Coordinates of all heavy atoms in Angstrom, one line a residue:
M1 N 76.1 96.3 146.3 CA 76.7 95.4 145.2 C 77.6 94.5 145.9 O 78.4 94.9 146.7 CB 77.4 96.3 144.2 CG 77.9 95.6 143.0 SD 78.8 96.6 141.8 CE 77.6 97.8 141.3
N2 N 77.5 93.2 145.5 CA 78.4 92.2 146.2 C 79.8 92.3 145.6 O 80.0 92.9 144.5 CB 77.8 90.8 146.1 CG 77.8 90.3 144.7 OD1 78.7 90.5 143.9 ND2 76.8 89.4 144.4
H3 N 80.7 91.7 146.2 CA 82.1 91.8 145.9 C 82.4 91.3 144.4 O 83.2 92.0 143.7 CB 83.0 91.0 146.9 CG 84.4 91.1 146.6 ND1 85.1 92.3 146.8 CD2 85.3 90.2 146.2 CE1 86.4 92.1 146.5 NE2 86.6 90.9 146.1
S4 N 81.9 90.2 144.0 CA 82.2 89.7 142.7 C 81.6 90.5 141.6 O 82.2 90.7 140.6 CB 81.7 88.2 142.6 OG 80.3 88.1 142.7
R5 N 80.4 91.1 141.8 CA 79.8 92.0 140.8 C 80.7 93.3 140.7 O 80.9 93.8 139.6 CB 78.4 92.3 141.2 CG 77.4 91.2 140.9 CD 76.0 91.6 141.2 NE 75.6 92.6 140.3 CZ 74.5 93.3 140.5 NH1 73.7 93.1 141.5 NH2 74.1 94.3 139.6
R6 N 81.1 93.8 141.8 CA 81.9 95.0 141.8 C 83.2 94.8 141.0 O 83.7 95.6 140.2 CB 82.2 95.5 143.2 CG 82.9 96.8 143.3 CD 83.2 97.4 144.7 NE 82.0 97.2 145.5 CZ 82.1 96.7 146.7 NH1 83.2 96.3 147.3 NH2 81.0 96.6 147.5
R7 N 83.8 93.6 141.3 CA 85.1 93.3 140.7 C 84.9 93.1 139.1 O 85.7 93.6 138.3 CB 85.7 92.0 141.2 CG 87.1 91.7 140.8 CD 87.7 90.6 141.5 NE 87.0 89.4 141.4 CZ 87.1 88.3 142.2 NH1 87.9 88.4 143.2 NH2 86.3 87.3 142.0
F8 N 83.7 92.5 138.8 CA 83.4 92.3 137.4 C 83.3 93.7 136.7 O 83.9 93.9 135.6 CB 82.1 91.6 137.2 CG 81.6 91.5 135.8 CD1 82.1 90.6 134.9 CD2 80.6 92.4 135.4 CE1 81.6 90.6 133.6 CE2 80.1 92.4 134.1 CZ 80.7 91.5 133.2
F9 N 82.6 94.7 137.3 CA 82.4 96.0 136.7 C 83.7 96.8 136.6 O 84.0 97.5 135.7 CB 81.3 96.8 137.3 CG 80.0 96.2 137.0 CD1 79.1 95.6 137.9 CD2 79.5 96.4 135.7 CE1 77.9 95.2 137.5 CE2 78.2 95.9 135.3 CZ 77.4 95.3 136.2
T10 N 84.5 96.6 137.7 CA 85.8 97.3 137.8 C 86.7 96.8 136.7 O 87.3 97.6 135.9 CB 86.5 97.2 139.1 OG1 85.5 97.6 140.1 CG2 87.7 97.9 139.3
R11 N 86.8 95.5 136.6 CA 87.7 94.9 135.5 C 87.2 95.3 134.1 O 87.9 95.5 133.2 CB 87.8 93.4 135.7 CG 88.7 93.1 136.9 CD 88.9 91.6 137.0 NE 89.8 91.3 138.1 CZ 90.0 90.1 138.5 NH1 89.4 89.0 137.9 NH2 90.8 89.9 139.5
G12 N 85.9 95.2 134.0 CA 85.2 95.5 132.7 C 85.6 96.9 132.2 O 85.9 97.1 131.1
A13 N 85.6 97.9 133.2 CA 85.9 99.3 132.8 C 87.4 99.4 132.4 O 87.7 100.1 131.4 CB 85.6 100.2 134.0
G14 N 88.2 98.6 133.1 CA 89.6 98.6 132.7 C 89.9 98.0 131.4 O 90.6 98.6 130.6
F15 N 89.2 96.9 131.1 CA 89.4 96.3 129.8 C 88.9 97.2 128.7 O 89.5 97.3 127.6 CB 88.7 95.0 129.7 CG 89.4 93.9 130.5 CD1 88.7 93.1 131.3 CD2 90.8 93.7 130.4 CE1 89.3 92.1 132.1 CE2 91.4 92.7 131.1 CZ 90.7 91.9 132.0
A16 N 87.8 97.9 128.9 CA 87.2 98.8 127.9 C 88.1 99.9 127.6 O 88.3 100.3 126.5 CB 85.8 99.3 128.4
A17 N 88.7 100.5 128.7 CA 89.7 101.6 128.5 C 90.9 101.1 127.7 O 91.3 101.8 126.7 CB 90.1 102.1 129.8
A18 N 91.4 99.9 128.0 CA 92.6 99.4 127.3 C 92.2 99.1 125.8 O 93.0 99.4 124.9 CB 93.0 98.1 127.9
A19 N 91.0 98.6 125.6 CA 90.6 98.3 124.2 C 90.5 99.6 123.4 O 90.7 99.6 122.2 CB 89.2 97.6 124.2
C20 N 90.1 100.7 124.0 CA 90.0 102.0 123.3 C 91.4 102.6 123.1 O 91.7 103.2 122.0 CB 89.2 103.0 124.1 SG 87.5 102.6 124.2
L21 N 92.3 102.4 124.0 CA 93.7 103.1 123.9 C 94.6 102.3 123.0 O 95.4 102.9 122.3 CB 94.3 103.3 125.3 CG 93.6 104.3 126.1 CD1 94.1 104.4 127.5 CD2 93.7 105.7 125.5
L22 N 94.7 101.0 123.1 CA 95.7 100.2 122.4 C 95.7 100.4 120.9 O 96.8 100.5 120.4 CB 95.6 98.7 122.8 CG 96.0 98.4 124.2 CD1 95.8 96.9 124.6 CD2 97.5 98.7 124.4
P23 N 94.5 100.3 120.3 CA 94.6 100.5 118.8 C 95.2 101.9 118.4 O 95.9 102.0 117.5 CB 93.1 100.4 118.4 CG 92.5 99.6 119.4 CD 93.2 100.0 120.7
R24 N 94.9 102.9 119.2 CA 95.4 104.2 118.9 C 96.9 104.3 119.1 O 97.6 104.9 118.3 CB 94.8 105.3 119.8 CG 93.3 105.4 119.5 CD 92.7 106.5 120.4 NE 93.1 107.8 120.0 CZ 92.9 108.9 120.7 NH1 92.3 108.8 121.8 NH2 93.4 110.0 120.3
M25 N 97.4 103.6 120.1 CA 98.9 103.6 120.4 C 99.6 102.9 119.3 O 100.6 103.3 118.8 CB 99.2 102.9 121.7 CG 98.7 103.8 122.9 SD 98.7 102.8 124.4 CE 100.4 102.6 124.7
G26 N 99.0 101.7 118.9 CA 99.6 100.9 117.8 C 99.6 101.7 116.5 O 100.6 101.7 115.8
F27 N 98.5 102.4 116.2 CA 98.4 103.1 115.0 C 99.5 104.2 114.9 O 100.2 104.3 113.9 CB 97.0 103.8 114.9 CG 96.8 104.6 113.7 CD1 96.5 104.0 112.5 CD2 96.8 106.0 113.8 CE1 96.3 104.8 111.3 CE2 96.6 106.8 112.7 CZ 96.4 106.2 111.5
A28 N 99.6 105.0 115.9 CA 100.6 106.1 115.9 C 102.0 105.6 115.7 O 102.8 106.2 115.0 CB 100.5 106.9 117.2
A29 N 102.3 104.4 116.4 CA 103.7 103.9 116.3 C 104.0 103.3 114.9 O 105.1 103.3 114.5 CB 103.8 102.8 117.4
D30 N 103.0 102.9 114.2 CA 103.2 102.2 112.9 C 103.2 103.2 111.7 O 103.7 102.8 110.6 CB 102.1 101.2 112.7 CG 102.1 100.1 113.7 OD1 103.2 99.9 114.3 OD2 101.1 99.4 113.8
V31 N 102.7 104.4 111.9 CA 102.6 105.3 110.7 C 104.0 105.9 110.4 O 104.6 106.5 111.3 CB 101.6 106.4 111.0 CG1 101.5 107.4 109.9 CG2 100.2 105.8 111.3
P32 N 104.4 105.8 109.2 CA 105.7 106.4 108.9 C 105.7 107.9 108.9 O 104.6 108.5 108.7 CB 106.0 105.9 107.4 CG 104.7 105.6 106.9 CD 103.8 105.2 108.0
R33 N 106.8 108.5 109.2 CA 106.9 110.0 109.2 C 107.3 110.5 107.8 O 108.0 109.8 107.1 CB 107.9 110.4 110.2 CG 107.5 110.0 111.6 CD 108.6 110.3 112.6 NE 108.1 110.0 114.0 CZ 108.8 110.1 115.1 NH1 110.0 110.5 115.0 NH2 108.2 109.8 116.2
V34 N 106.8 111.7 107.5 CA 107.1 112.3 106.2 C 108.6 112.5 106.1 O 109.2 112.9 107.0 CB 106.4 113.6 106.0 CG1 106.9 114.4 104.8 CG2 104.9 113.4 105.9
D35 N 109.1 112.1 104.9 CA 110.6 112.3 104.7 C 110.7 113.7 104.1 O 110.1 114.0 103.0 CB 111.0 111.3 103.7 CG 112.5 111.4 103.3 OD1 113.1 112.4 103.7 OD2 113.0 110.5 102.6
E36 N 111.5 114.6 104.7 CA 111.6 116.0 104.3 C 112.2 116.0 102.8 O 112.0 117.0 102.1 CB 112.6 116.7 105.2 CG 112.0 117.1 106.5 CD 113.0 117.8 107.4 OE1 114.2 117.9 107.0 OE2 112.6 118.4 108.4
A37 N 112.8 114.9 102.4 CA 113.5 114.9 101.1 C 112.6 114.4 100.0 O 113.0 114.4 98.8 CB 114.7 114.1 101.2
N38 N 111.4 113.9 100.4 CA 110.5 113.4 99.3 C 110.0 114.6 98.4 O 110.0 115.7 98.9 CB 109.4 112.5 99.8 CG 108.1 113.2 100.2 OD1 107.7 114.2 99.6 ND2 107.4 112.7 101.1
P39 N 109.7 114.3 97.1 CA 109.4 115.4 96.2 C 108.3 116.3 96.7 O 108.3 117.6 96.5 CB 109.1 114.7 94.9 CG 109.8 113.4 95.0 CD 109.8 113.0 96.5
Q40 N 107.2 115.8 97.2 CA 106.1 116.6 97.7 C 106.5 117.5 98.8 O 106.1 118.6 98.9 CB 104.9 115.6 98.1 CG 103.7 116.4 98.5 CD 102.6 115.5 99.0 OE1 102.7 114.3 99.1 NE2 101.5 116.1 99.4
A41 N 107.2 116.9 99.8 CA 107.7 117.7 100.9 C 108.6 118.8 100.5 O 108.5 119.9 101.0 CB 108.3 116.8 102.0
T42 N 109.5 118.5 99.6 CA 110.4 119.5 99.1 C 109.7 120.6 98.4 O 110.0 121.8 98.6 CB 111.4 118.8 98.1 OG1 112.1 117.8 98.9 CG2 112.4 119.8 97.6
A43 N 108.7 120.2 97.5 CA 108.0 121.3 96.8 C 107.2 122.2 97.7 O 107.0 123.4 97.4 CB 107.0 120.6 95.8
L44 N 106.7 121.6 98.8 CA 105.9 122.4 99.8 C 106.8 123.1 100.8 O 106.3 123.9 101.7 CB 104.9 121.5 100.5 CG 103.8 121.0 99.6 CD1 103.0 119.9 100.4 CD2 102.9 122.2 99.2
G45 N 108.1 122.8 100.8 CA 109.0 123.4 101.8 C 108.8 122.8 103.2 O 109.2 123.5 104.2
Y46 N 108.3 121.6 103.3 CA 108.0 121.0 104.6 C 109.3 120.8 105.4 O 110.3 120.3 104.9 CB 107.3 119.7 104.4 CG 107.1 119.0 105.8 CD1 106.2 119.3 106.7 CD2 108.0 118.0 106.1 CE1 106.1 118.7 107.9 CE2 108.0 117.3 107.3 CZ 107.0 117.7 108.2 OH 106.9 117.1 109.5
K47 N 109.3 121.2 106.6 CA 110.3 120.9 107.6 C 109.7 120.4 108.9 O 108.7 120.8 109.3 CB 111.1 122.2 107.9 CG 111.9 122.7 106.7 CD 113.1 121.8 106.4 CE 113.9 122.3 105.3 NZ 115.0 121.4 104.9
H48 N 110.4 119.4 109.5 CA 109.9 118.9 110.8 C 110.0 119.9 111.9 O 109.2 119.9 112.8 CB 110.8 117.7 111.2 CG 110.7 116.5 110.3 ND1 109.6 116.0 109.8 CD2 111.7 115.7 109.9 CE1 109.8 114.9 109.1 NE2 111.1 114.7 109.1
D49 N 110.9 120.9 111.7 CA 111.1 122.0 112.7 C 110.8 123.3 111.9 O 111.6 123.7 111.0 CB 112.5 121.9 113.2 CG 112.8 123.0 114.2 OD1 112.0 124.0 114.3 OD2 113.8 122.9 114.9
A50 N 109.8 123.9 112.2 CA 109.4 125.2 111.5 C 110.5 126.2 111.5 O 110.5 127.0 110.6 CB 108.1 125.7 112.1
S51 N 111.3 126.2 112.5 CA 112.4 127.2 112.5 C 113.5 127.0 111.4 O 114.3 127.8 111.2 CB 113.1 127.2 113.9 OG 113.8 126.1 114.1
E52 N 113.4 125.8 110.8 CA 114.3 125.5 109.7 C 113.8 125.8 108.3 O 114.4 125.5 107.3 CB 114.8 124.1 109.8 CG 115.5 123.8 111.1 CD 115.9 122.3 111.2 OE1 115.7 121.5 110.3 OE2 116.5 122.0 112.3
V53 N 112.6 126.4 108.2 CA 112.0 126.7 106.9 C 112.9 127.7 106.2 O 113.5 128.6 106.7 CB 110.6 127.3 107.1 CG1 110.1 127.9 105.8 CG2 109.6 126.3 107.7
D54 N 113.0 127.4 104.9 CA 113.8 128.3 104.0 C 112.9 129.6 103.7 O 112.1 129.6 102.8 CB 114.1 127.6 102.7 CG 114.9 128.5 101.7 OD1 115.0 129.7 101.9 OD2 115.3 127.9 100.7
T55 N 113.1 130.6 104.6 CA 112.2 131.8 104.5 C 112.5 132.6 103.3 O 111.7 133.5 102.9 CB 112.4 132.6 105.8 OG1 113.8 132.9 106.0 CG2 111.8 131.9 107.0
A56 N 113.7 132.5 102.7 CA 113.9 133.2 101.4 C 113.1 132.7 100.3 O 112.6 133.4 99.5 CB 115.4 133.1 101.1
K57 N 112.8 131.4 100.3 CA 112.0 130.7 99.3 C 110.6 130.7 99.6 O 109.7 130.8 98.8 CB 112.6 129.3 99.1 CG 112.0 128.6 97.9 CD 112.7 127.3 97.6 CE 112.1 126.5 96.4 NZ 112.8 125.3 96.2
F58 N 110.3 130.5 100.9 CA 108.9 130.3 101.3 C 108.5 131.5 102.2 O 108.5 131.5 103.4 CB 108.6 129.0 102.1 CG 108.9 127.8 101.2 CD1 110.1 127.2 101.2 CD2 107.9 127.4 100.3 CE1 110.3 126.1 100.3 CE2 108.2 126.3 99.4 CZ 109.4 125.7 99.4
T59 N 108.2 132.6 101.5 CA 108.0 133.9 102.2 C 106.7 134.0 103.0 O 106.5 135.0 103.8 CB 108.1 135.1 101.2 OG1 107.2 134.8 100.2 CG2 109.5 135.2 100.6
R60 N 105.8 133.0 102.8 CA 104.5 133.0 103.5 C 104.7 132.7 105.0 O 103.9 133.0 105.8 CB 103.6 132.0 103.0 CG 103.0 132.3 101.7 CD 101.9 131.2 101.4 NE 100.8 131.3 102.3 CZ 100.2 130.3 103.0 NH1 100.6 129.1 102.8 NH2 99.2 130.5 103.8
Y61 N 105.8 132.0 105.3 CA 106.0 131.6 106.7 C 106.2 132.8 107.7 O 106.8 133.7 107.4 CB 107.3 130.7 106.8 CG 107.7 130.4 108.2 CD1 106.9 129.5 108.9 CD2 108.7 131.1 108.9 CE1 107.2 129.2 110.2 CE2 109.0 130.8 110.2 CZ 108.2 129.8 110.9 OH 108.5 129.6 112.2
E62 N 105.4 132.6 108.8 CA 105.6 133.6 109.9 C 105.8 132.8 111.1 O 105.2 131.8 111.4 CB 104.3 134.4 110.0 CG 104.1 135.4 108.8 CD 102.8 136.2 109.0 OE1 102.3 136.4 110.1 OE2 102.3 136.7 108.0
P63 N 106.7 133.3 112.0 CA 107.0 132.6 113.3 C 105.7 132.3 114.0 O 104.8 133.2 114.1 CB 107.9 133.6 114.0 CG 108.6 134.4 112.9 CD 107.5 134.5 111.8
G64 N 105.6 131.2 114.6 CA 104.4 130.8 115.3 C 103.5 129.8 114.5 O 102.7 129.1 115.1
Q65 N 103.7 129.8 113.2 CA 102.9 128.9 112.4 C 103.6 127.5 112.5 O 104.8 127.4 112.2 CB 102.9 129.3 110.9 CG 102.2 130.7 110.7 CD 102.3 131.1 109.2 OE1 103.1 130.6 108.4 NE2 101.6 132.2 108.9
T66 N 102.8 126.5 112.8 CA 103.3 125.1 112.9 C 102.1 124.2 112.4 O 101.0 124.6 112.4 CB 103.7 124.7 114.3 OG1 102.5 124.7 115.2 CG2 104.8 125.6 114.9
C67 N 102.5 123.0 112.2 CA 101.5 122.0 111.8 C 100.4 121.9 112.9 O 99.3 121.7 112.6 CB 102.1 120.6 111.6 SG 103.2 120.6 110.1
A68 N 100.8 122.0 114.2 CA 99.9 121.9 115.3 C 98.8 122.9 115.2 O 97.7 122.6 115.7 CB 100.6 122.0 116.6
N69 N 99.0 124.1 114.6 CA 98.0 125.0 114.5 C 97.5 125.3 113.1 O 96.9 126.3 112.8 CB 98.3 126.4 115.2 CG 99.6 127.0 114.7 OD1 99.9 126.9 113.5 ND2 100.4 127.7 115.5
C70 N 97.7 124.2 112.3 CA 97.3 124.3 110.9 C 95.9 123.5 110.8 O 95.7 122.5 111.4 CB 98.3 123.6 110.0 SG 97.8 123.4 108.3
Q71 N 95.1 124.0 109.9 CA 93.8 123.4 109.7 C 93.9 121.9 109.2 O 93.0 121.1 109.5 CB 93.0 124.2 108.7 CG 91.6 123.8 108.4 CD 90.7 124.0 109.6 OE1 90.8 124.9 110.4 NE2 89.7 123.1 109.9
L72 N 94.9 121.6 108.5 CA 95.0 120.3 107.9 C 95.6 119.2 108.9 O 95.7 118.1 108.5 CB 95.8 120.3 106.6 CG 95.2 121.2 105.5 CD1 96.2 121.3 104.4 CD2 93.9 120.7 105.1
Y73 N 96.1 119.7 110.0 CA 96.7 118.7 111.0 C 95.5 118.2 111.9 O 94.8 118.9 112.5 CB 97.7 119.5 111.9 CG 98.4 118.6 112.9 CD1 99.4 117.8 112.5 CD2 98.1 118.6 114.2 CE1 100.1 117.0 113.4 CE2 98.8 117.8 115.1 CZ 99.8 117.0 114.7 OH 100.5 116.3 115.6
T74 N 95.5 116.8 112.0 CA 94.5 116.2 112.8 C 95.0 115.4 113.9 O 94.3 114.5 114.5 CB 93.5 115.3 111.9 OG1 94.4 114.4 111.2 CG2 92.8 116.2 110.9
G75 N 96.3 115.6 114.3 CA 96.9 114.9 115.4 C 96.2 115.4 116.7 O 95.6 116.5 116.8
A76 N 96.4 114.6 117.8 CA 95.9 115.0 119.1 C 96.6 116.2 119.6 O 97.8 116.5 119.2 CB 96.1 113.8 120.1
A77 N 96.0 117.0 120.4 CA 96.6 118.3 120.8 C 97.9 118.2 121.5 O 98.8 119.0 121.3 CB 95.6 119.0 121.8
D78 N 98.2 117.1 122.2 CA 99.4 116.9 122.9 C 100.4 116.0 122.2 O 101.4 115.6 122.7 CB 99.2 116.4 124.3 CG 98.4 115.0 124.3 OD1 97.9 114.6 123.2 OD2 98.4 114.4 125.3
S79 N 100.1 115.6 120.9 CA 101.0 114.7 120.2 C 102.1 115.4 119.5 O 102.0 116.6 119.2 CB 100.2 113.9 119.1 OG 99.7 114.8 118.2
E80 N 103.3 114.8 119.3 CA 104.4 115.4 118.7 C 104.3 115.1 117.2 O 105.0 115.8 116.4 CB 105.7 114.8 119.2 CG 105.9 115.3 120.7 CD 107.3 114.8 121.2 OE1 108.1 114.4 120.4 OE2 107.5 114.8 122.4
W81 N 103.6 114.1 116.7 CA 103.4 113.8 115.3 C 101.9 113.5 115.1 O 101.2 113.0 116.0 CB 104.2 112.5 115.0 CG 105.7 112.7 115.1 CD1 106.4 112.7 116.3 CD2 106.6 113.1 114.1 NE1 107.7 113.0 116.0 CE2 107.9 113.3 114.7 CE3 106.5 113.4 112.7 CZ2 109.0 113.7 113.9 CZ3 107.6 113.8 112.0 CH2 108.8 113.9 112.6
G82 N 101.5 113.7 113.9 CA 100.1 113.4 113.6 C 99.8 113.5 112.1 O 100.6 113.9 111.3
P83 N 98.6 113.1 111.7 CA 98.2 113.1 110.3 C 98.0 114.5 109.8 O 97.6 115.4 110.5 CB 96.9 112.3 110.3 CG 96.7 111.7 111.6 CD 97.5 112.5 112.6
C84 N 98.2 114.6 108.5 CA 98.0 115.9 107.7 C 97.3 115.5 106.5 O 97.6 114.5 105.8 CB 99.3 116.6 107.4 SG 99.2 117.8 106.0
G85 N 96.3 116.3 106.1 CA 95.5 116.0 104.9 C 96.3 115.9 103.6 O 95.9 115.3 102.6
L86 N 97.5 116.5 103.6 CA 98.3 116.5 102.4 C 99.2 115.3 102.2 O 99.7 115.0 101.2 CB 99.2 117.8 102.3 CG 98.5 119.1 102.1 CD1 99.5 120.2 102.0 CD2 97.5 119.1 100.9
F87 N 99.5 114.6 103.3 CA 100.4 113.5 103.3 C 99.7 112.2 103.8 O 99.9 111.8 105.0 CB 101.6 113.8 104.2 CG 102.5 115.0 103.7 CD1 102.3 116.2 104.2 CD2 103.5 114.8 102.7 CE1 103.1 117.3 103.8 CE2 104.2 115.8 102.3 CZ 104.0 117.1 102.8
A88 N 98.9 111.7 102.9 CA 98.1 110.5 103.3 C 99.0 109.3 103.7 O 100.1 109.0 103.1 CB 97.3 110.0 102.1
G89 N 98.7 108.7 104.8 CA 99.4 107.5 105.3 C 100.7 107.8 106.0 O 101.5 106.9 106.3
Q90 N 101.0 109.1 106.3 CA 102.2 109.5 106.9 C 101.9 110.5 108.0 O 100.9 111.2 108.0 CB 103.2 110.1 105.9 CG 103.6 109.2 104.8 CD 104.4 109.9 103.7 OE1 105.5 110.2 103.9 NE2 103.7 110.2 102.6
H91 N 102.8 110.7 108.9 CA 102.6 111.7 110.0 C 103.6 112.9 109.7 O 104.7 112.7 109.3 CB 102.9 111.1 111.3 CG 101.7 110.4 111.9 ND1 101.7 109.7 113.1 CD2 100.4 110.3 111.4 CE1 100.5 109.2 113.3 NE2 99.7 109.5 112.3
V92 N 103.2 114.1 110.1 CA 104.0 115.2 110.1 C 104.3 115.6 111.5 O 103.6 115.2 112.5 CB 103.3 116.4 109.3 CG1 103.1 116.1 107.9 CG2 102.0 116.8 110.0
A93 N 105.3 116.4 111.7 CA 105.6 116.9 113.1 C 104.7 118.0 113.5 O 104.5 118.9 112.7 CB 107.1 117.3 113.1
A94 N 104.3 117.9 114.8 CA 103.4 119.0 115.3 C 104.2 120.4 115.2 O 103.6 121.4 115.0 CB 103.0 118.8 116.7
A95 N 105.5 120.3 115.3 CA 106.4 121.5 115.3 C 106.8 121.8 113.9 O 107.6 122.8 113.7 CB 107.6 121.3 116.1
G96 N 106.3 121.1 112.9 CA 106.7 121.3 111.5 C 105.9 122.4 110.8 O 105.1 123.1 111.4
W97 N 106.2 122.5 109.5 CA 105.5 123.6 108.7 C 105.7 123.3 107.2 O 106.7 122.7 106.9 CB 106.1 125.0 109.0 CG 105.4 126.1 108.3 CD1 104.3 126.8 108.8 CD2 105.7 126.7 107.0 NE1 104.0 127.8 107.8 CE2 104.8 127.7 106.7 CE3 106.7 126.4 106.0 CZ2 104.8 128.5 105.6 CZ3 106.7 127.1 104.9 CH2 105.8 128.2 104.6
C98 N 104.7 123.7 106.4 CA 104.9 123.7 105.0 C 104.1 124.9 104.4 O 103.3 125.5 105.1 CB 104.5 122.3 104.3 SG 102.7 122.3 103.9
S99 N 104.3 125.1 103.1 CA 103.7 126.3 102.5 C 102.2 126.3 102.3 O 101.6 127.2 101.9 CB 104.5 126.6 101.2 OG 104.3 125.5 100.3
A100 N 101.6 125.1 102.6 CA 100.2 125.0 102.5 C 99.5 125.3 103.8 O 98.3 125.1 104.0 CB 99.8 123.6 102.0
W101 N 100.3 125.8 104.8 CA 99.7 126.1 106.1 C 98.5 127.0 106.0 O 98.5 128.0 105.3 CB 100.8 126.8 107.0 CG 100.3 127.0 108.4 CD1 100.4 126.2 109.5 CD2 99.7 128.2 108.9 NE1 99.9 126.8 110.6 CE2 99.5 128.0 110.3 CE3 99.3 129.4 108.3 CZ2 98.9 129.0 111.1 CZ3 98.7 130.4 109.1 CH2 98.5 130.2 110.5
V102 N 97.4 126.6 106.8 CA 96.2 127.3 106.8 C 95.8 127.4 108.3 O 95.9 126.4 109.0 CB 95.0 126.6 106.1 CG1 93.7 127.4 106.2 CG2 95.4 126.3 104.7
P103 N 95.5 128.6 108.8 CA 95.2 128.7 110.3 C 94.0 127.8 110.7 O 93.0 127.7 109.9 CB 94.9 130.1 110.5 CG 94.6 130.7 109.2 CD 95.3 129.8 108.2
K104 N 94.1 127.1 111.8 CA 93.1 126.3 112.4 C 91.9 127.2 112.6 O 92.0 128.3 113.2 CB 93.5 125.6 113.7 CG 93.3 124.2 113.7 CD 93.7 123.6 115.0 CE 94.6 122.4 114.9 NZ 94.2 121.3 114.0
A105 N 90.7 126.8 112.2 CA 89.5 127.6 112.4 C 89.1 127.5 113.9 O 89.4 126.6 114.6 CB 88.4 127.0 111.6
Ligands
SF4_1 FE1 101.8 120.9 108.4 FE2 99.6 122.1 107.6 FE3 101.6 121.7 105.9 FE4 100.2 119.7 106.7 S1 99.5 121.4 105.5 S2 102.5 119.8 106.6 S3 99.7 120.2 108.8 S4 101.6 123.0 107.7

């Protein structure tokens, strides 16, 4: 392969990778985080930090349960925030929890 063809393919792969990553980065940065004080979050006992769950009120909670291991969480495995099926258009904390928690299958 001559030098210019190699450079074309090398740069093409770099541009393709950037084109795949940039929209995801922009998306994650633009999505608002769930406000713990909003009525839905309050009703579900949602907390950004699962260790702060009101365990007297939400007796279903067991240590180790977090949004990251909930079936409704669709964030990337290494993300700190991500989408949840219950909070459309907002992100929940991977370390969070609410009373709708369901174990990931
Ligand atoms: Fe977190 Fe699951 Fe509750 Fe969504 S349903 S806030 S992912 S525990």
Side-chain angles (χ1 to χ4, degrees):
M1 186 180 297
N2 69 34
H3 182 69
S4 63
R5 283 183 66 192
R6 187 177 314 131
R7 191 170 59 199
F8 172 80
F9 284 113
T10 303
R11 286 185 179 171
F15 287 134
C20 290
L21 291 174
L22 286 175
R24 294 180 70 189
M25 292 166 67
F27 177 77
D30 296 342
V31 177
R33 295 174 175 177
V34 168
D35 180 351
E36 289 180 346
N38 90 31
Q40 182 185 1
T42 302
L44 291 169
Y46 172 79
K47 292 290 181 185
H48 296 316
D49 181 344
S51 70
E52 295 177 5
V53 168
D54 179 352
T55 54
K57 189 172 180 182
F58 298 97
T59 56
R60 286 190 66 228
Y61 173 74
E62 291 181 21
Q65 296 176 349
T66 64
C67 293
N69 58 33
C70 173
Q71 183 68 34
L72 299 175
Y73 184 77
T74 56
D78 59 348
S79 64
E80 293 183 14
W81 296 83
C84 160
L86 293 183
F87 295 96
Q90 300 171 75
H91 277 177
V92 297
W97 184 91
C98 88
S99 58
W101 183 88
V102 179
K104 232 182 230 312

